[in-house]
Amino acid sequence: MPRGDLANVLEMRHTEKGPAKGSGSTIILDWSIKLSWAQQITRGVANLHAIQAYNGDIKSSNVLIDENGQALLIDFCPIGVTNEFAAPEILAIINDPEFEFEREITAMTDMYSLGLVLHALAEETTNVELPLVWRNKKTPTSYRDAVQQCLAADCRSRPAAVELLHSLGAT
């Protein structure tokens, strides 16, 4: 993948275009590209969930951008999680030897992580901090609302990937 992963792309875009890494002051990617990538990433998650497979470690560095500019989700085996992108219910048990956290990975834990990735994409950042801060004023309210739903404290309130895909305008 000559373009690398999503985290690399976001870092390179800011380095090449001027803003320092992590400054978050300038948005560089066209919204149409961001929305297309958000839909592609969400479609990948929806396809996994359709066969009752769960990623467990959805994060920007697990999204590759191919030579055609398409976003591809990788690393489908839940053998570890990245704390920064993990759902709170996973973080609560990850160090408890009584739990095999891999068995606790569900569609709804994936949806939480996906929401964080979609926020990072919209904001063109590799750093995710809670509560979310929306600096990009061009991000549509419907997109922001969809991301916020993914981060619901009650995992039963999070949307399914297929529902999120429709919220993002995909057909």
Side-chain angles (χ1 to χ4, degrees):
M1 296 290 171
R3 295 188 181 198
D5 63 45
L6 181 59
N8 295 140
V9 169
L10 295 176
E11 287 175 7
M12 284 187 298
R13 295 288 295 174
H14 283 278
T15 302
E16 291 170 4
K17 299 291 184 177
K21 178 180 164 188
S23 71
S25 61
T26 302
I27 304 302
I28 296 168
L29 292 172
D30 230 33
W31 177 251
S32 63
I33 293 170
K34 292 180 192 182
L35 183 58
S36 177
W37 286 351
Q39 291 169 344
Q40 291 164 9
I41 297 163
T42 303
R43 184 170 284 112
V45 173
N47 289 341
L48 281 174
H49 291 180
I51 60 169
Q52 297 181 346
Y54 311 111
N55 184 293
D57 198 27
I58 298 172
K59 58 187 176 188
S60 301
S61 60
N62 281 344
V63 176
L64 298 182
I65 307 300
D66 73 10
E67 64 278 353
N68 297 316
Q70 303 298 300
L72 307 168
L73 185 62
I74 63 165
D75 195 13
F76 310 140
C77 187
I79 58 172
V81 297
T82 303
N83 289 0
E84 183 181 19
F85 287 91
E89 59 270 23
I90 295 299
L91 290 174
I93 64 166
I94 198 163
N95 293 321
D96 187 338
E98 296 291 316
F99 285 98
E100 291 182 41
F101 80 90
E102 294 90 350
R103 294 180 185 261
E104 304 299 322
I105 301 295
T106 66
M108 294 302 104
T109 59
D110 275 355
M111 294 309 296
Y112 186 93
S113 300
L114 178 58
L116 293 175
V117 169
L118 296 182
H119 175 265
L121 173 58
E123 291 294 309
E124 296 188 25
T125 185
T126 56
N127 300 322
V128 178
E129 297 176 18
L130 294 173
L132 297 182
V133 175
W134 294 94
R135 292 176 181 88
N136 181 358
K137 304 303 181 210
K138 293 183 180 181
T139 302
T141 302
S142 59
Y143 185 95
R144 293 177 190 210
D145 291 346
V147 167
Q148 289 296 150
Q149 288 176 349
C150 291
L151 303 180
D154 180 355
C155 64
R156 296 169 296 191
S157 298
R158 297 174 194 151
V162 171
E163 295 169 341
L164 178 61
L165 196 53
H166 290 291
S167 296
L168 296 175
T171 54

PDB file of all heavy atoms in Angstrom, residues 130-165:
ATOM      1  N   LEU A 130     -10.962  12.451  24.666  1.00  0.00           N
ATOM      2  CA  LEU A 130     -12.349  12.574  25.106  1.00  0.00           C
ATOM      3  C   LEU A 130     -12.422  13.627  26.198  1.00  0.00           C
ATOM      4  O   LEU A 130     -11.523  13.711  27.017  1.00  0.00           O
ATOM      5  CB  LEU A 130     -12.855  11.237  25.622  1.00  0.00           C
ATOM      6  CG  LEU A 130     -12.951  10.144  24.558  1.00  0.00           C
ATOM      7  CD1 LEU A 130     -13.286   8.813  25.194  1.00  0.00           C
ATOM      8  CD2 LEU A 130     -13.991  10.507  23.511  1.00  0.00           C
ATOM      9  N   PRO A 131     -13.473  14.418  26.237  1.00  0.00           N
ATOM     10  CA  PRO A 131     -14.572  14.445  25.267  1.00  0.00           C
ATOM     11  C   PRO A 131     -14.080  14.980  23.922  1.00  0.00           C
ATOM     12  O   PRO A 131     -13.112  15.727  23.845  1.00  0.00           O
ATOM     13  CB  PRO A 131     -15.596  15.381  25.903  1.00  0.00           C
ATOM     14  CG  PRO A 131     -14.810  16.272  26.797  1.00  0.00           C
ATOM     15  CD  PRO A 131     -13.637  15.453  27.269  1.00  0.00           C
ATOM     16  N   LEU A 132     -14.797  14.556  22.884  1.00  0.00           N
ATOM     17  CA  LEU A 132     -14.410  14.963  21.533  1.00  0.00           C
ATOM     18  C   LEU A 132     -14.534  16.475  21.373  1.00  0.00           C
ATOM     19  O   LEU A 132     -15.453  17.091  21.904  1.00  0.00           O
ATOM     20  CB  LEU A 132     -15.314  14.298  20.493  1.00  0.00           C
ATOM     21  CG  LEU A 132     -15.266  12.780  20.405  1.00  0.00           C
ATOM     22  CD1 LEU A 132     -16.182  12.306  19.292  1.00  0.00           C
ATOM     23  CD2 LEU A 132     -13.856  12.273  20.200  1.00  0.00           C
ATOM     24  N   VAL A 133     -13.597  17.031  20.638  1.00  0.00           N
ATOM     25  CA  VAL A 133     -13.645  18.443  20.283  1.00  0.00           C
ATOM     26  C   VAL A 133     -13.715  18.512  18.763  1.00  0.00           C
ATOM     27  O   VAL A 133     -12.910  17.885  18.073  1.00  0.00           O
ATOM     28  CB  VAL A 133     -12.391  19.192  20.795  1.00  0.00           C
ATOM     29  CG1 VAL A 133     -12.386  20.634  20.319  1.00  0.00           C
ATOM     30  CG2 VAL A 133     -12.305  19.108  22.305  1.00  0.00           C
ATOM     31  N   TRP A 134     -14.692  19.239  18.266  1.00  0.00           N
ATOM     32  CA  TRP A 134     -14.886  19.376  16.824  1.00  0.00           C
ATOM     33  C   TRP A 134     -14.363  20.741  16.398  1.00  0.00           C
ATOM     34  O   TRP A 134     -15.014  21.752  16.583  1.00  0.00           O
ATOM     35  CB  TRP A 134     -16.358  19.232  16.457  1.00  0.00           C
ATOM     36  CG  TRP A 134     -16.891  17.866  16.726  1.00  0.00           C
ATOM     37  CD1 TRP A 134     -17.529  17.439  17.851  1.00  0.00           C
ATOM     38  CD2 TRP A 134     -16.808  16.737  15.858  1.00  0.00           C
ATOM     39  NE1 TRP A 134     -17.860  16.114  17.737  1.00  0.00           N
ATOM     40  CE2 TRP A 134     -17.428  15.655  16.513  1.00  0.00           C
ATOM     41  CE3 TRP A 134     -16.279  16.534  14.587  1.00  0.00           C
ATOM     42  CZ2 TRP A 134     -17.530  14.389  15.944  1.00  0.00           C
ATOM     43  CZ3 TRP A 134     -16.382  15.271  14.026  1.00  0.00           C
ATOM     44  CH2 TRP A 134     -17.003  14.223  14.690  1.00  0.00           C
ATOM     45  N   ARG A 135     -13.176  20.761  15.844  1.00  0.00           N
ATOM     46  CA  ARG A 135     -12.563  22.008  15.381  1.00  0.00           C
ATOM     47  C   ARG A 135     -12.946  22.328  13.932  1.00  0.00           C
ATOM     48  O   ARG A 135     -12.998  23.480  13.551  1.00  0.00           O
ATOM     49  CB  ARG A 135     -11.045  21.919  15.504  1.00  0.00           C
ATOM     50  CG  ARG A 135     -10.585  21.886  16.943  1.00  0.00           C
ATOM     51  CD  ARG A 135      -9.072  21.710  17.049  1.00  0.00           C
ATOM     52  NE  ARG A 135      -8.660  21.648  18.434  1.00  0.00           N
ATOM     53  CZ  ARG A 135      -8.609  20.527  19.158  1.00  0.00           C
ATOM     54  NH1 ARG A 135      -8.933  19.379  18.617  1.00  0.00           N
ATOM     55  NH2 ARG A 135      -8.239  20.559  20.413  1.00  0.00           N
ATOM     56  N   ASN A 136     -13.179  21.284  13.145  1.00  0.00           N
ATOM     57  CA  ASN A 136     -13.519  21.465  11.739  1.00  0.00           C
ATOM     58  C   ASN A 136     -14.983  21.873  11.629  1.00  0.00           C
ATOM     59  O   ASN A 136     -15.886  21.049  11.770  1.00  0.00           O
ATOM     60  CB  ASN A 136     -13.251  20.187  10.947  1.00  0.00           C
ATOM     61  CG  ASN A 136     -13.555  20.327   9.477  1.00  0.00           C
ATOM     62  OD1 ASN A 136     -14.002  21.368   9.015  1.00  0.00           O
ATOM     63  ND2 ASN A 136     -13.316  19.264   8.733  1.00  0.00           N
ATOM     64  N   LYS A 137     -15.216  23.120  11.359  1.00  0.00           N
ATOM     65  CA  LYS A 137     -16.587  23.647  11.277  1.00  0.00           C
ATOM     66  C   LYS A 137     -17.334  23.144  10.043  1.00  0.00           C
ATOM     67  O   LYS A 137     -18.541  23.287   9.953  1.00  0.00           O
ATOM     68  CB  LYS A 137     -16.577  25.183  11.285  1.00  0.00           C
ATOM     69  CG  LYS A 137     -15.863  25.779  12.483  1.00  0.00           C
ATOM     70  CD  LYS A 137     -16.457  25.316  13.781  1.00  0.00           C
ATOM     71  CE  LYS A 137     -15.733  25.951  14.954  1.00  0.00           C
ATOM     72  NZ  LYS A 137     -15.715  25.152  16.132  1.00  0.00           N
ATOM     73  N   LYS A 138     -16.608  22.541   9.084  1.00  0.00           N
ATOM     74  CA  LYS A 138     -17.241  22.035   7.861  1.00  0.00           C
ATOM     75  C   LYS A 138     -17.806  20.628   8.029  1.00  0.00           C
ATOM     76  O   LYS A 138     -18.488  20.134   7.147  1.00  0.00           O
ATOM     77  CB  LYS A 138     -16.252  22.065   6.704  1.00  0.00           C
ATOM     78  CG  LYS A 138     -15.857  23.462   6.295  1.00  0.00           C
ATOM     79  CD  LYS A 138     -14.935  23.454   5.108  1.00  0.00           C
ATOM     80  CE  LYS A 138     -14.561  24.878   4.737  1.00  0.00           C
ATOM     81  NZ  LYS A 138     -13.678  24.928   3.576  1.00  0.00           N
ATOM     82  N   THR A 139     -17.520  19.982   9.154  1.00  0.00           N
ATOM     83  CA  THR A 139     -18.057  18.644   9.369  1.00  0.00           C
ATOM     84  C   THR A 139     -19.566  18.752   9.585  1.00  0.00           C
ATOM     85  O   THR A 139     -20.009  19.444  10.505  1.00  0.00           O
ATOM     86  CB  THR A 139     -17.398  17.977  10.593  1.00  0.00           C
ATOM     87  OG1 THR A 139     -15.986  17.934  10.389  1.00  0.00           O
ATOM     88  CG2 THR A 139     -17.938  16.575  10.803  1.00  0.00           C
ATOM     89  N   PRO A 140     -20.355  18.073   8.757  1.00  0.00           N
ATOM     90  CA  PRO A 140     -21.814  18.159   8.889  1.00  0.00           C
ATOM     91  C   PRO A 140     -22.307  17.688  10.257  1.00  0.00           C
ATOM     92  O   PRO A 140     -21.749  16.759  10.845  1.00  0.00           O
ATOM     93  CB  PRO A 140     -22.329  17.235   7.782  1.00  0.00           C
ATOM     94  CG  PRO A 140     -21.198  17.127   6.815  1.00  0.00           C
ATOM     95  CD  PRO A 140     -19.945  17.237   7.632  1.00  0.00           C
ATOM     96  N   THR A 141     -23.359  18.318  10.716  1.00  0.00           N
ATOM     97  CA  THR A 141     -23.955  17.957  11.998  1.00  0.00           C
ATOM     98  C   THR A 141     -24.381  16.502  12.008  1.00  0.00           C
ATOM     99  O   THR A 141     -24.220  15.813  13.013  1.00  0.00           O
ATOM    100  CB  THR A 141     -25.161  18.877  12.296  1.00  0.00           C
ATOM    101  OG1 THR A 141     -24.702  20.237  12.293  1.00  0.00           O
ATOM    102  CG2 THR A 141     -25.790  18.556  13.635  1.00  0.00           C
ATOM    103  N   SER A 142     -24.890  16.004  10.896  1.00  0.00           N
ATOM    104  CA  SER A 142     -25.340  14.606  10.844  1.00  0.00           C
ATOM    105  C   SER A 142     -24.161  13.649  11.069  1.00  0.00           C
ATOM    106  O   SER A 142     -24.315  12.620  11.720  1.00  0.00           O
ATOM    107  CB  SER A 142     -26.021  14.306   9.510  1.00  0.00           C
ATOM    108  OG  SER A 142     -25.121  14.539   8.429  1.00  0.00           O
ATOM    109  N   TYR A 143     -22.995  13.989  10.552  1.00  0.00           N
ATOM    110  CA  TYR A 143     -21.789  13.166  10.750  1.00  0.00           C
ATOM    111  C   TYR A 143     -21.385  13.219  12.219  1.00  0.00           C
ATOM    112  O   TYR A 143     -21.107  12.189  12.831  1.00  0.00           O
ATOM    113  CB  TYR A 143     -20.663  13.690   9.855  1.00  0.00           C
ATOM    114  CG  TYR A 143     -19.394  12.858   9.876  1.00  0.00           C
ATOM    115  CD1 TYR A 143     -19.174  11.894   8.909  1.00  0.00           C
ATOM    116  CD2 TYR A 143     -18.400  13.064  10.840  1.00  0.00           C
ATOM    117  CE1 TYR A 143     -17.999  11.145   8.889  1.00  0.00           C
ATOM    118  CE2 TYR A 143     -17.231  12.319  10.833  1.00  0.00           C
ATOM    119  CZ  TYR A 143     -17.036  11.361   9.862  1.00  0.00           C
ATOM    120  OH  TYR A 143     -15.877  10.621   9.857  1.00  0.00           O
ATOM    121  N   ARG A 144     -21.358  14.409  12.789  1.00  0.00           N
ATOM    122  CA  ARG A 144     -21.011  14.556  14.209  1.00  0.00           C
ATOM    123  C   ARG A 144     -21.959  13.752  15.088  1.00  0.00           C
ATOM    124  O   ARG A 144     -21.528  13.079  16.014  1.00  0.00           O
ATOM    125  CB  ARG A 144     -21.054  16.021  14.626  1.00  0.00           C
ATOM    126  CG  ARG A 144     -19.996  16.869  13.999  1.00  0.00           C
ATOM    127  CD  ARG A 144     -20.158  18.312  14.413  1.00  0.00           C
ATOM    128  NE  ARG A 144     -19.286  19.164  13.644  1.00  0.00           N
ATOM    129  CZ  ARG A 144     -18.783  20.291  14.088  1.00  0.00           C
ATOM    130  NH1 ARG A 144     -19.074  20.708  15.299  1.00  0.00           N
ATOM    131  NH2 ARG A 144     -17.994  21.006  13.323  1.00  0.00           N
ATOM    132  N   ASP A 145     -23.246  13.851  14.788  1.00  0.00           N
ATOM    133  CA  ASP A 145     -24.248  13.111  15.569  1.00  0.00           C
ATOM    134  C   ASP A 145     -24.029  11.610  15.454  1.00  0.00           C
ATOM    135  O   ASP A 145     -24.146  10.880  16.444  1.00  0.00           O
ATOM    136  CB  ASP A 145     -25.665  13.471  15.114  1.00  0.00           C
ATOM    137  CG  ASP A 145     -26.061  14.899  15.470  1.00  0.00           C
ATOM    138  OD1 ASP A 145     -25.374  15.538  16.297  1.00  0.00           O
ATOM    139  OD2 ASP A 145     -27.066  15.383  14.896  1.00  0.00           O
ATOM    140  N   ALA A 146     -23.719  11.130  14.255  1.00  0.00           N
ATOM    141  CA  ALA A 146     -23.482   9.696  14.043  1.00  0.00           C
ATOM    142  C   ALA A 146     -22.274   9.235  14.850  1.00  0.00           C
ATOM    143  O   ALA A 146     -22.309   8.171  15.489  1.00  0.00           O
ATOM    144  CB  ALA A 146     -23.287   9.406  12.558  1.00  0.00           C
ATOM    145  N   VAL A 147     -21.212  10.026  14.851  1.00  0.00           N
ATOM    146  CA  VAL A 147     -20.021   9.682  15.631  1.00  0.00           C
ATOM    147  C   VAL A 147     -20.366   9.656  17.115  1.00  0.00           C
ATOM    148  O   VAL A 147     -19.980   8.725  17.836  1.00  0.00           O
ATOM    149  CB  VAL A 147     -18.867  10.674  15.337  1.00  0.00           C
ATOM    150  CG1 VAL A 147     -17.746  10.535  16.351  1.00  0.00           C
ATOM    151  CG2 VAL A 147     -18.342  10.462  13.918  1.00  0.00           C
ATOM    152  N   GLN A 148     -21.084  10.653  17.581  1.00  0.00           N
ATOM    153  CA  GLN A 148     -21.454  10.708  19.004  1.00  0.00           C
ATOM    154  C   GLN A 148     -22.292   9.498  19.407  1.00  0.00           C
ATOM    155  O   GLN A 148     -22.139   8.970  20.506  1.00  0.00           O
ATOM    156  CB  GLN A 148     -22.199  12.005  19.328  1.00  0.00           C
ATOM    157  CG  GLN A 148     -21.337  13.248  19.301  1.00  0.00           C
ATOM    158  CD  GLN A 148     -20.232  13.273  20.351  1.00  0.00           C
ATOM    159  OE1 GLN A 148     -19.192  13.864  20.117  1.00  0.00           O
ATOM    160  NE2 GLN A 148     -20.418  12.656  21.486  1.00  0.00           N
ATOM    161  N   GLN A 149     -23.163   9.024  18.523  1.00  0.00           N
ATOM    162  CA  GLN A 149     -23.966   7.836  18.820  1.00  0.00           C
ATOM    163  C   GLN A 149     -23.074   6.614  19.001  1.00  0.00           C
ATOM    164  O   GLN A 149     -23.351   5.764  19.842  1.00  0.00           O
ATOM    165  CB  GLN A 149     -24.995   7.585  17.714  1.00  0.00           C
ATOM    166  CG  GLN A 149     -26.122   8.572  17.707  1.00  0.00           C
ATOM    167  CD  GLN A 149     -27.062   8.353  16.532  1.00  0.00           C
ATOM    168  OE1 GLN A 149     -26.772   7.596  15.607  1.00  0.00           O
ATOM    169  NE2 GLN A 149     -28.207   9.029  16.570  1.00  0.00           N
ATOM    170  N   CYS A 150     -22.006   6.536  18.226  1.00  0.00           N
ATOM    171  CA  CYS A 150     -21.065   5.416  18.353  1.00  0.00           C
ATOM    172  C   CYS A 150     -20.393   5.405  19.728  1.00  0.00           C
ATOM    173  O   CYS A 150     -19.970   4.353  20.200  1.00  0.00           O
ATOM    174  CB  CYS A 150     -19.988   5.491  17.275  1.00  0.00           C
ATOM    175  SG  CYS A 150     -20.582   5.172  15.614  1.00  0.00           S
ATOM    176  N   LEU A 151     -20.295   6.561  20.349  1.00  0.00           N
ATOM    177  CA  LEU A 151     -19.591   6.693  21.629  1.00  0.00           C
ATOM    178  C   LEU A 151     -20.532   6.657  22.831  1.00  0.00           C
ATOM    179  O   LEU A 151     -20.122   6.997  23.942  1.00  0.00           O
ATOM    180  CB  LEU A 151     -18.780   7.993  21.639  1.00  0.00           C
ATOM    181  CG  LEU A 151     -17.767   8.139  20.506  1.00  0.00           C
ATOM    182  CD1 LEU A 151     -17.032   9.462  20.630  1.00  0.00           C
ATOM    183  CD2 LEU A 151     -16.798   6.978  20.457  1.00  0.00           C
ATOM    184  N   ALA A 152     -21.762   6.224  22.621  1.00  0.00           N
ATOM    185  CA  ALA A 152     -22.727   6.152  23.717  1.00  0.00           C
ATOM    186  C   ALA A 152     -22.160   5.309  24.860  1.00  0.00           C
ATOM    187  O   ALA A 152     -21.563   4.246  24.624  1.00  0.00           O
ATOM    188  CB  ALA A 152     -24.043   5.567  23.225  1.00  0.00           C
ATOM    189  N   ALA A 153     -22.320   5.781  26.076  1.00  0.00           N
ATOM    190  CA  ALA A 153     -21.823   5.056  27.252  1.00  0.00           C
ATOM    191  C   ALA A 153     -22.478   3.684  27.365  1.00  0.00           C
ATOM    192  O   ALA A 153     -21.813   2.695  27.695  1.00  0.00           O
ATOM    193  CB  ALA A 153     -22.065   5.875  28.512  1.00  0.00           C
ATOM    194  N   ASP A 154     -23.771   3.615  27.085  1.00  0.00           N
ATOM    195  CA  ASP A 154     -24.490   2.346  27.081  1.00  0.00           C
ATOM    196  C   ASP A 154     -24.295   1.708  25.706  1.00  0.00           C
ATOM    197  O   ASP A 154     -24.800   2.223  24.706  1.00  0.00           O
ATOM    198  CB  ASP A 154     -25.975   2.580  27.363  1.00  0.00           C
ATOM    199  CG  ASP A 154     -26.792   1.296  27.379  1.00  0.00           C
ATOM    200  OD1 ASP A 154     -26.247   0.208  27.072  1.00  0.00           O
ATOM    201  OD2 ASP A 154     -27.992   1.390  27.695  1.00  0.00           O
ATOM    202  N   CYS A 155     -23.565   0.624  25.660  1.00  0.00           N
ATOM    203  CA  CYS A 155     -23.232   0.021  24.356  1.00  0.00           C
ATOM    204  C   CYS A 155     -24.476  -0.381  23.573  1.00  0.00           C
ATOM    205  O   CYS A 155     -24.440  -0.430  22.344  1.00  0.00           O
ATOM    206  CB  CYS A 155     -22.275  -1.158  24.530  1.00  0.00           C
ATOM    207  SG  CYS A 155     -22.934  -2.544  25.439  1.00  0.00           S
ATOM    208  N   ARG A 156     -25.589  -0.628  24.249  1.00  0.00           N
ATOM    209  CA  ARG A 156     -26.826  -0.998  23.543  1.00  0.00           C
ATOM    210  C   ARG A 156     -27.415   0.179  22.773  1.00  0.00           C
ATOM    211  O   ARG A 156     -28.263  -0.008  21.910  1.00  0.00           O
ATOM    212  CB  ARG A 156     -27.848  -1.558  24.522  1.00  0.00           C
ATOM    213  CG  ARG A 156     -27.382  -2.864  25.167  1.00  0.00           C
ATOM    214  CD  ARG A 156     -28.263  -3.258  26.295  1.00  0.00           C
ATOM    215  NE  ARG A 156     -28.129  -2.219  27.319  1.00  0.00           N
ATOM    216  CZ  ARG A 156     -28.592  -2.301  28.543  1.00  0.00           C
ATOM    217  NH1 ARG A 156     -29.241  -3.358  28.923  1.00  0.00           N
ATOM    218  NH2 ARG A 156     -28.429  -1.314  29.400  1.00  0.00           N
ATOM    219  N   SER A 157     -26.951   1.382  23.071  1.00  0.00           N
ATOM    220  CA  SER A 157     -27.434   2.580  22.380  1.00  0.00           C
ATOM    221  C   SER A 157     -26.616   2.916  21.135  1.00  0.00           C
ATOM    222  O   SER A 157     -26.972   3.815  20.387  1.00  0.00           O
ATOM    223  CB  SER A 157     -27.411   3.778  23.329  1.00  0.00           C
ATOM    224  OG  SER A 157     -28.272   3.557  24.418  1.00  0.00           O
ATOM    225  N   ARG A 158     -25.519   2.204  20.935  1.00  0.00           N
ATOM    226  CA  ARG A 158     -24.686   2.456  19.766  1.00  0.00           C
ATOM    227  C   ARG A 158     -25.353   1.873  18.523  1.00  0.00           C
ATOM    228  O   ARG A 158     -25.982   0.820  18.595  1.00  0.00           O
ATOM    229  CB  ARG A 158     -23.300   1.843  19.950  1.00  0.00           C
ATOM    230  CG  ARG A 158     -22.536   2.462  21.105  1.00  0.00           C
ATOM    231  CD  ARG A 158     -21.220   1.766  21.385  1.00  0.00           C
ATOM    232  NE  ARG A 158     -20.722   2.191  22.692  1.00  0.00           N
ATOM    233  CZ  ARG A 158     -19.965   1.464  23.485  1.00  0.00           C
ATOM    234  NH1 ARG A 158     -19.586   0.248  23.104  1.00  0.00           N
ATOM    235  NH2 ARG A 158     -19.573   1.937  24.646  1.00  0.00           N
ATOM    236  N   PRO A 159     -25.180   2.527  17.379  1.00  0.00           N
ATOM    237  CA  PRO A 159     -25.805   1.997  16.158  1.00  0.00           C
ATOM    238  C   PRO A 159     -25.060   0.770  15.645  1.00  0.00           C
ATOM    239  O   PRO A 159     -23.868   0.588  15.911  1.00  0.00           O
ATOM    240  CB  PRO A 159     -25.659   3.160  15.169  1.00  0.00           C
ATOM    241  CG  PRO A 159     -24.420   3.867  15.625  1.00  0.00           C
ATOM    242  CD  PRO A 159     -24.424   3.746  17.137  1.00  0.00           C
ATOM    243  N   ALA A 160     -25.760  -0.050  14.921  1.00  0.00           N
ATOM    244  CA  ALA A 160     -25.111  -1.147  14.195  1.00  0.00           C
ATOM    245  C   ALA A 160     -24.348  -0.524  13.034  1.00  0.00           C
ATOM    246  O   ALA A 160     -24.667   0.583  12.575  1.00  0.00           O
ATOM    247  CB  ALA A 160     -26.149  -2.133  13.687  1.00  0.00           C
ATOM    248  N   ALA A 161     -23.350  -1.217  12.525  1.00  0.00           N
ATOM    249  CA  ALA A 161     -22.540  -0.692  11.426  1.00  0.00           C
ATOM    250  C   ALA A 161     -23.395  -0.384  10.197  1.00  0.00           C
ATOM    251  O   ALA A 161     -23.179   0.631   9.525  1.00  0.00           O
ATOM    252  CB  ALA A 161     -21.423  -1.668  11.084  1.00  0.00           C
ATOM    253  N   VAL A 162     -24.371  -1.226   9.918  1.00  0.00           N
ATOM    254  CA  VAL A 162     -25.249  -0.997   8.761  1.00  0.00           C
ATOM    255  C   VAL A 162     -26.054   0.283   8.957  1.00  0.00           C
ATOM    256  O   VAL A 162     -26.217   1.071   8.020  1.00  0.00           O
ATOM    257  CB  VAL A 162     -26.183  -2.211   8.529  1.00  0.00           C
ATOM    258  CG1 VAL A 162     -27.233  -1.921   7.489  1.00  0.00           C
ATOM    259  CG2 VAL A 162     -25.371  -3.434   8.137  1.00  0.00           C
ATOM    260  N   GLU A 163     -26.527   0.529  10.165  1.00  0.00           N
ATOM    261  CA  GLU A 163     -27.266   1.766  10.448  1.00  0.00           C
ATOM    262  C   GLU A 163     -26.358   2.985  10.283  1.00  0.00           C
ATOM    263  O   GLU A 163     -26.760   3.997   9.716  1.00  0.00           O
ATOM    264  CB  GLU A 163     -27.824   1.731  11.871  1.00  0.00           C
ATOM    265  CG  GLU A 163     -28.863   0.679  12.108  1.00  0.00           C
ATOM    266  CD  GLU A 163     -29.192   0.491  13.581  1.00  0.00           C
ATOM    267  OE1 GLU A 163     -28.394   0.907  14.460  1.00  0.00           O
ATOM    268  OE2 GLU A 163     -30.261  -0.084  13.860  1.00  0.00           O
ATOM    269  N   LEU A 164     -25.141   2.870  10.782  1.00  0.00           N
ATOM    270  CA  LEU A 164     -24.190   3.967  10.659  1.00  0.00           C
ATOM    271  C   LEU A 164     -23.884   4.232   9.197  1.00  0.00           C
ATOM    272  O   LEU A 164     -23.807   5.389   8.769  1.00  0.00           O
ATOM    273  CB  LEU A 164     -22.901   3.662  11.428  1.00  0.00           C
ATOM    274  CG  LEU A 164     -21.806   4.721  11.346  1.00  0.00           C
ATOM    275  CD1 LEU A 164     -22.288   6.050  11.923  1.00  0.00           C
ATOM    276  CD2 LEU A 164     -20.561   4.245  12.060  1.00  0.00           C
ATOM    277  N   LEU A 165     -23.739   3.186   8.431  1.00  0.00           N
ATOM    278  CA  LEU A 165     -23.470   3.324   7.005  1.00  0.00           C
ATOM    279  C   LEU A 165     -24.565   4.135   6.319  1.00  0.00           C
ATOM    280  O   LEU A 165     -24.295   5.039   5.521  1.00  0.00           O
ATOM    281  CB  LEU A 165     -23.335   1.934   6.369  1.00  0.00           C
ATOM    282  CG  LEU A 165     -22.710   1.811   5.003  1.00  0.00           C
ATOM    283  CD1 LEU A 165     -21.348   2.484   4.939  1.00  0.00           C
ATOM    284  CD2 LEU A 165     -22.601   0.352   4.613  1.00  0.00           C
TER     285      LEU A 165
END
